[in-house]
Amino acid sequence: MNKQRAIEISESPIMENVTYQGNPVFIQHVNDDGTARVYPLDKSEQEQTVSLENLIEN
């Protein structure tokens, strides 16, 4: 996923269908270094930093 699209999704009130390693995730924040803070929709306590390259918009 490109950085600009990830920022748009993270700032949107509409929940987009984004996955990381096949699991639906919520993008909490996009970092300047090409990563994002995400967490699985069903496990908000498992927040992690991942590469934008590994995020897929379905």
Side-chain angles (χ1 to χ4, degrees):
M1 174 176 298
N2 74 51
K3 182 179 176 181
Q4 184 57 43
R5 181 62 182 139
I7 291 170
E8 290 170 3
I9 291 171
S10 71
E11 294 176 348
S12 172
I14 299 169
M15 186 62 150
E16 297 293 339
N17 186 6
V18 177
T19 59
Y20 172 70
Q21 296 183 338
N23 299 308
V25 295
F26 178 79
I27 301 174
Q28 186 161 357
H29 179 76
V30 179
N31 302 313
D32 290 333
D33 64 357
T35 63
R37 295 290 295 167
V38 303
Y39 59 81
L41 296 181
D42 60 346
K43 297 178 182 168
S44 61
E45 72 280 357
Q46 292 184 3
E47 186 175 322
Q48 58 186 317
T49 300
V50 301
S51 172
L52 291 174
E53 294 175 355
N54 295 323
L55 295 177
I56 306 291
E57 182 178 10
N58 300 303

mmCIF file of all heavy atoms in Angstrom, residues 1-20 23-32 34-44 46-58:
data_model
loop_
_atom_site.group_PDB
_atom_site.id
_atom_site.type_symbol
_atom_site.label_atom_id
_atom_site.label_comp_id
_atom_site.label_asym_id
_atom_site.label_seq_id
_atom_site.Cartn_x
_atom_site.Cartn_y
_atom_site.Cartn_z
ATOM 1 N N MET A 1 0.855 -1.165 0.000
ATOM 2 C CA MET A 1 0.000 0.000 0.000
ATOM 3 C C MET A 1 0.902 1.229 0.000
ATOM 4 O O MET A 1 1.922 1.243 0.684
ATOM 5 C CB MET A 1 -0.892 -0.032 1.237
ATOM 6 C CG MET A 1 -1.732 1.207 1.413
ATOM 7 S SD MET A 1 -2.872 1.102 2.807
ATOM 8 C CE MET A 1 -3.883 -0.271 2.313
ATOM 9 N N ASN A 2 0.513 2.236 -0.747
ATOM 10 C CA ASN A 2 1.342 3.437 -0.729
ATOM 11 C C ASN A 2 1.010 4.300 0.486
ATOM 12 O O ASN A 2 -0.072 4.186 1.082
ATOM 13 C CB ASN A 2 1.242 4.213 -2.053
ATOM 14 C CG ASN A 2 -0.063 4.951 -2.230
ATOM 15 O OD1 ASN A 2 -0.497 5.686 -1.360
ATOM 16 N ND2 ASN A 2 -0.694 4.770 -3.374
ATOM 17 N N LYS A 3 1.956 5.122 0.858
ATOM 18 C CA LYS A 3 1.858 5.908 2.088
ATOM 19 C C LYS A 3 0.647 6.836 2.089
ATOM 20 O O LYS A 3 -0.078 6.917 3.077
ATOM 21 C CB LYS A 3 3.145 6.711 2.281
ATOM 22 C CG LYS A 3 3.163 7.526 3.541
ATOM 23 C CD LYS A 3 4.474 8.269 3.691
ATOM 24 C CE LYS A 3 4.477 9.174 4.892
ATOM 25 N NZ LYS A 3 5.727 9.910 5.031
ATOM 26 N N GLN A 4 0.405 7.531 0.980
ATOM 27 C CA GLN A 4 -0.704 8.477 0.928
ATOM 28 C C GLN A 4 -2.042 7.773 1.135
ATOM 29 O O GLN A 4 -2.902 8.259 1.857
ATOM 30 C CB GLN A 4 -0.705 9.259 -0.389
ATOM 31 C CG GLN A 4 -1.783 10.327 -0.462
ATOM 32 C CD GLN A 4 -1.703 11.347 0.662
ATOM 33 O OE1 GLN A 4 -0.623 11.814 1.024
ATOM 34 N NE2 GLN A 4 -2.842 11.697 1.230
ATOM 35 N N ARG A 5 -2.220 6.618 0.512
ATOM 36 C CA ARG A 5 -3.477 5.883 0.674
ATOM 37 C C ARG A 5 -3.641 5.401 2.111
ATOM 38 O O ARG A 5 -4.735 5.451 2.675
ATOM 39 C CB ARG A 5 -3.543 4.701 -0.292
ATOM 40 C CG ARG A 5 -4.833 3.924 -0.190
ATOM 41 C CD ARG A 5 -6.048 4.764 -0.549
ATOM 42 N NE ARG A 5 -7.272 3.984 -0.400
ATOM 43 C CZ ARG A 5 -8.396 4.452 0.113
ATOM 44 N NH1 ARG A 5 -8.487 5.722 0.495
ATOM 45 N NH2 ARG A 5 -9.451 3.682 0.234
ATOM 46 N N ALA A 6 -2.561 4.965 2.724
ATOM 47 C CA ALA A 6 -2.626 4.522 4.118
ATOM 48 C C ALA A 6 -3.029 5.680 5.032
ATOM 49 O O ALA A 6 -3.825 5.497 5.956
ATOM 50 C CB ALA A 6 -1.279 3.942 4.547
ATOM 51 N N ILE A 7 -2.502 6.868 4.759
ATOM 52 C CA ILE A 7 -2.875 8.054 5.549
ATOM 53 C C ILE A 7 -4.358 8.353 5.360
ATOM 54 O O ILE A 7 -5.073 8.623 6.336
ATOM 55 C CB ILE A 7 -2.004 9.263 5.161
ATOM 56 C CG1 ILE A 7 -0.567 9.039 5.616
ATOM 57 C CG2 ILE A 7 -2.569 10.551 5.757
ATOM 58 C CD1 ILE A 7 0.429 10.062 5.077
ATOM 59 N N GLU A 8 -4.830 8.310 4.117
ATOM 60 C CA GLU A 8 -6.254 8.559 3.847
ATOM 61 C C GLU A 8 -7.132 7.581 4.620
ATOM 62 O O GLU A 8 -8.135 7.977 5.222
ATOM 63 C CB GLU A 8 -6.541 8.426 2.350
ATOM 64 C CG GLU A 8 -5.943 9.530 1.509
ATOM 65 C CD GLU A 8 -6.030 9.250 0.019
ATOM 66 O OE1 GLU A 8 -6.614 8.201 -0.386
ATOM 67 O OE2 GLU A 8 -5.523 10.074 -0.762
ATOM 68 N N ILE A 9 -6.770 6.317 4.602
ATOM 69 C CA ILE A 9 -7.556 5.299 5.308
ATOM 70 C C ILE A 9 -7.524 5.543 6.810
ATOM 71 O O ILE A 9 -8.552 5.468 7.485
ATOM 72 C CB ILE A 9 -7.049 3.883 4.965
ATOM 73 C CG1 ILE A 9 -7.369 3.563 3.502
ATOM 74 C CG2 ILE A 9 -7.654 2.837 5.905
ATOM 75 C CD1 ILE A 9 -6.729 2.295 2.990
ATOM 76 N N SER A 10 -6.357 5.859 7.349
ATOM 77 C CA SER A 10 -6.247 6.053 8.803
ATOM 78 C C SER A 10 -7.033 7.266 9.286
ATOM 79 O O SER A 10 -7.487 7.296 10.432
ATOM 80 C CB SER A 10 -4.783 6.166 9.228
ATOM 81 O OG SER A 10 -4.227 7.393 8.803
ATOM 82 N N GLU A 11 -7.223 8.258 8.421
ATOM 83 C CA GLU A 11 -7.936 9.490 8.800
ATOM 84 C C GLU A 11 -9.423 9.445 8.459
ATOM 85 O O GLU A 11 -10.168 10.329 8.862
ATOM 86 C CB GLU A 11 -7.278 10.689 8.124
ATOM 87 C CG GLU A 11 -5.872 10.951 8.628
ATOM 88 C CD GLU A 11 -5.162 12.082 7.903
ATOM 89 O OE1 GLU A 11 -5.662 12.548 6.846
ATOM 90 O OE2 GLU A 11 -4.105 12.499 8.394
ATOM 91 N N SER A 12 -9.846 8.424 7.742
ATOM 92 C CA SER A 12 -11.236 8.331 7.297
ATOM 93 C C SER A 12 -12.137 7.771 8.399
ATOM 94 O O SER A 12 -11.748 6.840 9.104
ATOM 95 C CB SER A 12 -11.312 7.424 6.067
ATOM 96 O OG SER A 12 -12.664 7.185 5.731
ATOM 97 N N PRO A 13 -13.351 8.307 8.512
ATOM 98 C CA PRO A 13 -14.307 7.736 9.478
ATOM 99 C C PRO A 13 -14.912 6.426 8.971
ATOM 100 O O PRO A 13 -15.523 5.691 9.727
ATOM 101 C CB PRO A 13 -15.369 8.826 9.598
ATOM 102 C CG PRO A 13 -15.315 9.547 8.295
ATOM 103 C CD PRO A 13 -13.869 9.499 7.853
ATOM 104 N N ILE A 14 -14.700 6.121 7.694
ATOM 105 C CA ILE A 14 -15.226 4.898 7.094
ATOM 106 C C ILE A 14 -14.191 3.785 7.226
ATOM 107 O O ILE A 14 -13.040 3.961 6.851
ATOM 108 C CB ILE A 14 -15.577 5.118 5.607
ATOM 109 C CG1 ILE A 14 -16.647 6.199 5.481
ATOM 110 C CG2 ILE A 14 -16.040 3.810 4.958
ATOM 111 C CD1 ILE A 14 -16.875 6.674 4.067
ATOM 112 N N MET A 15 -14.615 2.655 7.748
ATOM 113 C CA MET A 15 -13.704 1.531 7.940
ATOM 114 C C MET A 15 -13.442 0.850 6.604
ATOM 115 O O MET A 15 -14.359 0.335 5.977
ATOM 116 C CB MET A 15 -14.316 0.544 8.928
ATOM 117 C CG MET A 15 -13.404 -0.563 9.290
ATOM 118 S SD MET A 15 -11.966 0.118 10.098
ATOM 119 C CE MET A 15 -11.564 -1.196 11.150
ATOM 120 N N GLU A 16 -12.195 0.864 6.157
ATOM 121 C CA GLU A 16 -11.807 0.201 4.915
ATOM 122 C C GLU A 16 -11.385 -1.237 5.210
ATOM 123 O O GLU A 16 -10.972 -1.553 6.321
ATOM 124 C CB GLU A 16 -10.657 0.949 4.244
ATOM 125 C CG GLU A 16 -10.993 2.367 3.820
ATOM 126 C CD GLU A 16 -12.013 2.446 2.699
ATOM 127 O OE1 GLU A 16 -12.192 1.462 1.961
ATOM 128 O OE2 GLU A 16 -12.643 3.499 2.574
ATOM 129 N N ASN A 17 -11.463 -2.076 4.208
ATOM 130 C CA ASN A 17 -11.087 -3.473 4.351
ATOM 131 C C ASN A 17 -9.587 -3.610 4.062
ATOM 132 O O ASN A 17 -9.181 -3.736 2.915
ATOM 133 C CB ASN A 17 -11.921 -4.333 3.400
ATOM 134 C CG ASN A 17 -11.696 -5.809 3.602
ATOM 135 O OD1 ASN A 17 -10.999 -6.228 4.521
ATOM 136 N ND2 ASN A 17 -12.273 -6.605 2.746
ATOM 137 N N VAL A 18 -8.779 -3.546 5.099
ATOM 138 C CA VAL A 18 -7.326 -3.647 4.988
ATOM 139 C C VAL A 18 -6.869 -4.893 5.731
ATOM 140 O O VAL A 18 -7.359 -5.177 6.834
ATOM 141 C CB VAL A 18 -6.634 -2.395 5.579
ATOM 142 C CG1 VAL A 18 -5.124 -2.529 5.544
ATOM 143 C CG2 VAL A 18 -7.078 -1.138 4.837
ATOM 144 N N THR A 19 -5.942 -5.632 5.127
ATOM 145 C CA THR A 19 -5.418 -6.821 5.785
ATOM 146 C C THR A 19 -3.904 -6.766 5.900
ATOM 147 O O THR A 19 -3.223 -6.119 5.118
ATOM 148 C CB THR A 19 -5.809 -8.110 5.030
ATOM 149 O OG1 THR A 19 -5.299 -8.046 3.701
ATOM 150 C CG2 THR A 19 -7.307 -8.308 5.005
ATOM 151 N N TYR A 20 -3.404 -7.459 6.909
ATOM 152 C CA TYR A 20 -1.978 -7.677 7.120
ATOM 153 C C TYR A 20 -1.808 -9.170 7.357
ATOM 154 O O TYR A 20 -2.407 -9.719 8.276
ATOM 155 C CB TYR A 20 -1.464 -6.877 8.320
ATOM 156 C CG TYR A 20 -0.050 -7.207 8.706
ATOM 157 C CD1 TYR A 20 1.012 -6.834 7.894
ATOM 158 C CD2 TYR A 20 0.229 -7.911 9.864
ATOM 159 C CE1 TYR A 20 2.318 -7.160 8.227
ATOM 160 C CE2 TYR A 20 1.525 -8.226 10.223
ATOM 161 C CZ TYR A 20 2.564 -7.850 9.394
ATOM 162 O OH TYR A 20 3.865 -8.167 9.720
ATOM 163 N N ASN A 23 -5.023 -11.061 7.773
ATOM 164 C CA ASN A 23 -5.913 -10.726 8.882
ATOM 165 C C ASN A 23 -6.389 -9.279 8.762
ATOM 166 O O ASN A 23 -5.581 -8.381 8.512
ATOM 167 C CB ASN A 23 -5.191 -10.891 10.216
ATOM 168 C CG ASN A 23 -4.743 -12.315 10.426
ATOM 169 O OD1 ASN A 23 -5.530 -13.244 10.308
ATOM 170 N ND2 ASN A 23 -3.470 -12.496 10.721
ATOM 171 N N PRO A 24 -7.697 -9.026 8.963
ATOM 172 C CA PRO A 24 -8.205 -7.658 8.923
ATOM 173 C C PRO A 24 -7.574 -6.809 10.025
ATOM 174 O O PRO A 24 -7.482 -7.259 11.174
ATOM 175 C CB PRO A 24 -9.703 -7.801 9.161
ATOM 176 C CG PRO A 24 -10.009 -9.241 8.974
ATOM 177 C CD PRO A 24 -8.746 -9.998 9.228
ATOM 178 N N VAL A 25 -7.119 -5.599 9.658
ATOM 179 C CA VAL A 25 -6.486 -4.714 10.636
ATOM 180 C C VAL A 25 -7.035 -3.296 10.527
ATOM 181 O O VAL A 25 -7.597 -2.903 9.510
ATOM 182 C CB VAL A 25 -4.942 -4.665 10.462
ATOM 183 C CG1 VAL A 25 -4.314 -6.001 10.763
ATOM 184 C CG2 VAL A 25 -4.548 -4.165 9.088
ATOM 185 N N PHE A 26 -6.830 -2.550 11.603
ATOM 186 C CA PHE A 26 -7.151 -1.133 11.668
ATOM 187 C C PHE A 26 -5.831 -0.375 11.645
ATOM 188 O O PHE A 26 -4.917 -0.698 12.419
ATOM 189 C CB PHE A 26 -7.905 -0.837 12.971
ATOM 190 C CG PHE A 26 -8.228 0.615 13.155
ATOM 191 C CD1 PHE A 26 -9.301 1.180 12.496
ATOM 192 C CD2 PHE A 26 -7.456 1.416 13.983
ATOM 193 C CE1 PHE A 26 -9.601 2.522 12.655
ATOM 194 C CE2 PHE A 26 -7.746 2.755 14.150
ATOM 195 C CZ PHE A 26 -8.825 3.316 13.485
ATOM 196 N N ILE A 27 -5.715 0.614 10.764
ATOM 197 C CA ILE A 27 -4.504 1.446 10.713
ATOM 198 C C ILE A 27 -4.674 2.579 11.707
ATOM 199 O O ILE A 27 -5.532 3.442 11.550
ATOM 200 C CB ILE A 27 -4.264 2.016 9.301
ATOM 201 C CG1 ILE A 27 -4.128 0.903 8.279
ATOM 202 C CG2 ILE A 27 -3.019 2.913 9.312
ATOM 203 C CD1 ILE A 27 -4.036 1.390 6.832
ATOM 204 N N GLN A 28 -3.858 2.563 12.744
ATOM 205 C CA GLN A 28 -3.952 3.581 13.778
ATOM 206 C C GLN A 28 -3.143 4.824 13.420
ATOM 207 O O GLN A 28 -3.593 5.939 13.650
ATOM 208 C CB GLN A 28 -3.474 3.023 15.111
ATOM 209 C CG GLN A 28 -3.674 3.983 16.240
ATOM 210 C CD GLN A 28 -3.650 3.306 17.584
ATOM 211 O OE1 GLN A 28 -3.545 2.097 17.685
ATOM 212 N NE2 GLN A 28 -3.747 4.082 18.628
ATOM 213 N N HIS A 29 -1.952 4.621 12.848
ATOM 214 C CA HIS A 29 -1.083 5.756 12.527
ATOM 215 C C HIS A 29 -0.103 5.346 11.436
ATOM 216 O O HIS A 29 0.379 4.212 11.433
ATOM 217 C CB HIS A 29 -0.313 6.204 13.776
ATOM 218 C CG HIS A 29 0.606 7.344 13.531
ATOM 219 N ND1 HIS A 29 0.163 8.629 13.391
ATOM 220 C CD2 HIS A 29 1.951 7.400 13.366
ATOM 221 C CE1 HIS A 29 1.201 9.428 13.157
ATOM 222 N NE2 HIS A 29 2.293 8.687 13.139
ATOM 223 N N VAL A 30 0.200 6.283 10.532
ATOM 224 C CA VAL A 30 1.194 6.050 9.491
ATOM 225 C C VAL A 30 2.443 6.844 9.854
ATOM 226 O O VAL A 30 2.377 8.042 10.119
ATOM 227 C CB VAL A 30 0.662 6.470 8.104
ATOM 228 C CG1 VAL A 30 1.719 6.252 7.033
ATOM 229 C CG2 VAL A 30 -0.610 5.699 7.761
ATOM 230 N N ASN A 31 3.578 6.158 9.877
ATOM 231 C CA ASN A 31 4.854 6.780 10.235
ATOM 232 C C ASN A 31 5.590 7.278 8.988
ATOM 233 O O ASN A 31 5.339 6.801 7.883
ATOM 234 C CB ASN A 31 5.735 5.761 10.979
ATOM 235 C CG ASN A 31 5.056 5.234 12.218
ATOM 236 O OD1 ASN A 31 4.507 5.977 13.010
ATOM 237 N ND2 ASN A 31 5.065 3.925 12.381
ATOM 238 N N ASP A 32 6.515 8.198 9.172
ATOM 239 C CA ASP A 32 7.278 8.768 8.059
ATOM 240 C C ASP A 32 8.256 7.782 7.431
ATOM 241 O O ASP A 32 8.714 7.994 6.319
ATOM 242 C CB ASP A 32 8.055 10.007 8.522
ATOM 243 C CG ASP A 32 7.129 11.181 8.832
ATOM 244 O OD1 ASP A 32 6.036 11.246 8.236
ATOM 245 O OD2 ASP A 32 7.515 12.021 9.656
ATOM 246 N N GLY A 34 7.770 4.741 6.330
ATOM 247 C CA GLY A 34 7.189 3.688 5.499
ATOM 248 C C GLY A 34 6.573 2.552 6.284
ATOM 249 O O GLY A 34 6.377 1.459 5.757
ATOM 250 N N THR A 35 6.269 2.807 7.547
ATOM 251 C CA THR A 35 5.605 1.821 8.393
ATOM 252 C C THR A 35 4.304 2.404 8.927
ATOM 253 O O THR A 35 4.046 3.599 8.809
ATOM 254 C CB THR A 35 6.493 1.386 9.576
ATOM 255 O OG1 THR A 35 6.745 2.530 10.415
ATOM 256 C CG2 THR A 35 7.810 0.791 9.101
ATOM 257 N N ALA A 36 3.501 1.538 9.532
ATOM 258 C CA ALA A 36 2.252 1.978 10.142
ATOM 259 C C ALA A 36 2.017 1.198 11.425
ATOM 260 O O ALA A 36 2.436 0.051 11.552
ATOM 261 C CB ALA A 36 1.083 1.764 9.187
ATOM 262 N N ARG A 37 1.329 1.847 12.363
ATOM 263 C CA ARG A 37 0.885 1.171 13.581
ATOM 264 C C ARG A 37 -0.493 0.602 13.288
ATOM 265 O O ARG A 37 -1.401 1.337 12.894
ATOM 266 C CB ARG A 37 0.795 2.148 14.754
ATOM 267 C CG ARG A 37 2.110 2.749 15.192
ATOM 268 C CD ARG A 37 3.028 1.766 15.862
ATOM 269 N NE ARG A 37 2.494 1.276 17.116
ATOM 270 C CZ ARG A 37 2.983 0.231 17.771
ATOM 271 N NH1 ARG A 37 4.023 -0.427 17.315
ATOM 272 N NH2 ARG A 37 2.447 -0.151 18.899
ATOM 273 N N VAL A 38 -0.631 -0.707 13.425
ATOM 274 C CA VAL A 38 -1.898 -1.380 13.143
ATOM 275 C C VAL A 38 -2.237 -2.343 14.270
ATOM 276 O O VAL A 38 -1.364 -2.709 15.065
ATOM 277 C CB VAL A 38 -1.847 -2.168 11.807
ATOM 278 C CG1 VAL A 38 -1.478 -1.263 10.652
ATOM 279 C CG2 VAL A 38 -0.891 -3.355 11.872
ATOM 280 N N TYR A 39 -3.501 -2.746 14.302
ATOM 281 C CA TYR A 39 -3.885 -3.831 15.201
ATOM 282 C C TYR A 39 -5.022 -4.630 14.567
ATOM 283 O O TYR A 39 -5.814 -4.086 13.788
ATOM 284 C CB TYR A 39 -4.267 -3.336 16.594
ATOM 285 C CG TYR A 39 -5.415 -2.357 16.675
ATOM 286 C CD1 TYR A 39 -6.734 -2.788 16.644
ATOM 287 C CD2 TYR A 39 -5.177 -1.002 16.822
ATOM 288 C CE1 TYR A 39 -7.785 -1.895 16.743
ATOM 289 C CE2 TYR A 39 -6.213 -0.095 16.923
ATOM 290 C CZ TYR A 39 -7.523 -0.555 16.882
ATOM 291 O OH TYR A 39 -8.563 0.336 16.975
ATOM 292 N N PRO A 40 -5.063 -5.925 14.865
ATOM 293 C CA PRO A 40 -6.152 -6.759 14.345
ATOM 294 C C PRO A 40 -7.489 -6.245 14.869
ATOM 295 O O PRO A 40 -7.583 -5.803 16.021
ATOM 296 C CB PRO A 40 -5.854 -8.142 14.910
ATOM 297 C CG PRO A 40 -4.412 -8.117 15.284
ATOM 298 C CD PRO A 40 -4.118 -6.698 15.657
ATOM 299 N N LEU A 41 -8.510 -6.313 14.029
ATOM 300 C CA LEU A 41 -9.821 -5.805 14.437
ATOM 301 C C LEU A 41 -10.365 -6.508 15.669
ATOM 302 O O LEU A 41 -11.066 -5.898 16.468
ATOM 303 C CB LEU A 41 -10.821 -5.948 13.282
ATOM 304 C CG LEU A 41 -10.511 -5.124 12.040
ATOM 305 C CD1 LEU A 41 -11.593 -5.335 10.995
ATOM 306 C CD2 LEU A 41 -10.344 -3.660 12.365
ATOM 307 N N ASP A 42 -10.020 -7.772 15.846
ATOM 308 C CA ASP A 42 -10.553 -8.523 16.980
ATOM 309 C C ASP A 42 -9.607 -8.570 18.182
ATOM 310 O O ASP A 42 -9.928 -9.188 19.196
ATOM 311 C CB ASP A 42 -10.928 -9.939 16.556
ATOM 312 C CG ASP A 42 -9.740 -10.726 16.006
ATOM 313 O OD1 ASP A 42 -8.695 -10.112 15.709
ATOM 314 O OD2 ASP A 42 -9.871 -11.957 15.870
ATOM 315 N N LYS A 43 -8.441 -7.899 18.071
ATOM 316 C CA LYS A 43 -7.463 -7.930 19.173
ATOM 317 C C LYS A 43 -6.735 -6.592 19.253
ATOM 318 O O LYS A 43 -5.549 -6.495 18.953
ATOM 319 C CB LYS A 43 -6.460 -9.061 18.961
ATOM 320 C CG LYS A 43 -7.087 -10.428 18.971
ATOM 321 C CD LYS A 43 -6.082 -11.507 18.718
ATOM 322 C CE LYS A 43 -6.794 -12.849 18.687
ATOM 323 N NZ LYS A 43 -5.953 -13.908 18.178
ATOM 324 N N SER A 44 -7.423 -5.560 19.682
ATOM 325 C CA SER A 44 -6.849 -4.211 19.690
ATOM 326 C C SER A 44 -5.630 -4.083 20.600
ATOM 327 O O SER A 44 -4.824 -3.173 20.430
ATOM 328 C CB SER A 44 -7.905 -3.181 20.087
ATOM 329 O OG SER A 44 -8.396 -3.436 21.382
ATOM 330 N N GLN A 46 -3.134 -6.001 20.511
ATOM 331 C CA GLN A 46 -1.965 -6.524 19.796
ATOM 332 C C GLN A 46 -1.468 -5.538 18.728
ATOM 333 O O GLN A 46 -1.186 -5.918 17.601
ATOM 334 C CB GLN A 46 -2.300 -7.873 19.164
ATOM 335 C CG GLN A 46 -2.517 -8.951 20.182
ATOM 336 C CD GLN A 46 -2.749 -10.312 19.536
ATOM 337 O OE1 GLN A 46 -2.705 -10.472 18.335
ATOM 338 N NE2 GLN A 46 -2.989 -11.307 20.371
ATOM 339 N N GLU A 47 -1.323 -4.292 19.120
ATOM 340 C CA GLU A 47 -0.834 -3.268 18.204
ATOM 341 C C GLU A 47 0.612 -3.561 17.831
ATOM 342 O O GLU A 47 1.405 -4.001 18.662
ATOM 343 C CB GLU A 47 -0.937 -1.899 18.879
ATOM 344 C CG GLU A 47 -0.600 -0.761 17.971
ATOM 345 C CD GLU A 47 -0.834 0.572 18.639
ATOM 346 O OE1 GLU A 47 -1.823 0.706 19.389
ATOM 347 O OE2 GLU A 47 -0.030 1.470 18.418
ATOM 348 N N GLN A 48 0.946 -3.329 16.559
ATOM 349 C CA GLN A 48 2.313 -3.564 16.097
ATOM 350 C C GLN A 48 2.658 -2.607 14.967
ATOM 351 O O GLN A 48 1.783 -2.035 14.334
ATOM 352 C CB GLN A 48 2.480 -5.005 15.643
ATOM 353 C CG GLN A 48 1.539 -5.418 14.530
ATOM 354 C CD GLN A 48 1.635 -6.894 14.217
ATOM 355 O OE1 GLN A 48 2.719 -7.443 14.159
ATOM 356 N NE2 GLN A 48 0.494 -7.537 14.025
ATOM 357 N N THR A 49 3.945 -2.438 14.732
ATOM 358 C CA THR A 49 4.426 -1.631 13.622
ATOM 359 C C THR A 49 4.760 -2.559 12.464
ATOM 360 O O THR A 49 5.481 -3.541 12.645
ATOM 361 C CB THR A 49 5.683 -0.831 14.036
ATOM 362 O OG1 THR A 49 5.343 0.019 15.140
ATOM 363 C CG2 THR A 49 6.187 0.023 12.876
ATOM 364 N N VAL A 50 4.191 -2.257 11.281
ATOM 365 C CA VAL A 50 4.406 -3.097 10.102
ATOM 366 C C VAL A 50 4.766 -2.225 8.907
ATOM 367 O O VAL A 50 4.464 -1.033 8.866
ATOM 368 C CB VAL A 50 3.150 -3.934 9.784
ATOM 369 C CG1 VAL A 50 2.780 -4.830 10.952
ATOM 370 C CG2 VAL A 50 1.977 -3.061 9.390
ATOM 371 N N SER A 51 5.401 -2.829 7.916
ATOM 372 C CA SER A 51 5.741 -2.137 6.686
ATOM 373 C C SER A 51 4.478 -1.885 5.867
ATOM 374 O O SER A 51 3.611 -2.757 5.763
ATOM 375 C CB SER A 51 6.722 -2.979 5.870
ATOM 376 O OG SER A 51 6.905 -2.403 4.591
ATOM 377 N N LEU A 52 4.390 -0.701 5.267
ATOM 378 C CA LEU A 52 3.248 -0.402 4.406
ATOM 379 C C LEU A 52 3.165 -1.372 3.234
ATOM 380 O O LEU A 52 2.083 -1.667 2.737
ATOM 381 C CB LEU A 52 3.340 1.030 3.874
ATOM 382 C CG LEU A 52 3.147 2.137 4.912
ATOM 383 C CD1 LEU A 52 3.399 3.494 4.273
ATOM 384 C CD2 LEU A 52 1.765 2.072 5.533
ATOM 385 N N GLU A 53 4.305 -1.894 2.817
ATOM 386 C CA GLU A 53 4.340 -2.851 1.702
ATOM 387 C C GLU A 53 3.519 -4.100 2.004
ATOM 388 O O GLU A 53 3.080 -4.789 1.087
ATOM 389 C CB GLU A 53 5.785 -3.269 1.396
ATOM 390 C CG GLU A 53 6.641 -2.161 0.876
ATOM 391 C CD GLU A 53 8.106 -2.600 0.696
ATOM 392 O OE1 GLU A 53 8.448 -3.735 1.067
ATOM 393 O OE2 GLU A 53 8.866 -1.799 0.170
ATOM 394 N N ASN A 54 3.344 -4.417 3.282
ATOM 395 C CA ASN A 54 2.641 -5.634 3.678
ATOM 396 C C ASN A 54 1.162 -5.419 3.960
ATOM 397 O O ASN A 54 0.469 -6.371 4.335
ATOM 398 C CB ASN A 54 3.317 -6.251 4.905
ATOM 399 C CG ASN A 54 4.720 -6.713 4.596
ATOM 400 O OD1 ASN A 54 5.003 -7.209 3.512
ATOM 401 N ND2 ASN A 54 5.617 -6.536 5.538
ATOM 402 N N LEU A 55 0.679 -4.193 3.789
ATOM 403 C CA LEU A 55 -0.741 -3.923 3.979
ATOM 404 C C LEU A 55 -1.459 -4.008 2.641
ATOM 405 O O LEU A 55 -0.983 -3.460 1.638
ATOM 406 C CB LEU A 55 -0.961 -2.538 4.592
ATOM 407 C CG LEU A 55 -0.432 -2.337 6.003
ATOM 408 C CD1 LEU A 55 -0.647 -0.900 6.439
ATOM 409 C CD2 LEU A 55 -1.090 -3.295 6.973
ATOM 410 N N ILE A 56 -2.594 -4.697 2.631
ATOM 411 C CA ILE A 56 -3.364 -4.908 1.397
ATOM 412 C C ILE A 56 -4.763 -4.326 1.588
ATOM 413 O O ILE A 56 -5.449 -4.648 2.561
ATOM 414 C CB ILE A 56 -3.513 -6.415 1.081
ATOM 415 C CG1 ILE A 56 -2.150 -7.107 1.054
ATOM 416 C CG2 ILE A 56 -4.282 -6.615 -0.219
ATOM 417 C CD1 ILE A 56 -1.244 -6.734 -0.072
ATOM 418 N N GLU A 57 -5.167 -3.472 0.657
ATOM 419 C CA GLU A 57 -6.554 -2.981 0.657
ATOM 420 C C GLU A 57 -7.362 -3.893 -0.245
ATOM 421 O O GLU A 57 -7.053 -4.059 -1.421
ATOM 422 C CB GLU A 57 -6.618 -1.548 0.161
ATOM 423 C CG GLU A 57 -8.011 -0.978 0.198
ATOM 424 C CD GLU A 57 -8.108 0.466 -0.235
ATOM 425 O OE1 GLU A 57 -7.104 1.003 -0.766
ATOM 426 O OE2 GLU A 57 -9.175 1.066 -0.046
ATOM 427 N N ASN A 58 -8.396 -4.510 0.324
ATOM 428 C CA ASN A 58 -9.226 -5.468 -0.435
ATOM 429 C C ASN A 58 -10.451 -4.810 -1.008
ATOM 430 O O ASN A 58 -10.941 -3.863 -0.524
ATOM 431 C CB ASN A 58 -9.630 -6.631 0.478
ATOM 432 C CG ASN A 58 -8.407 -7.363 0.994
ATOM 433 O OD1 ASN A 58 -7.605 -7.842 0.235
ATOM 434 N ND2 ASN A 58 -8.281 -7.426 2.314
#
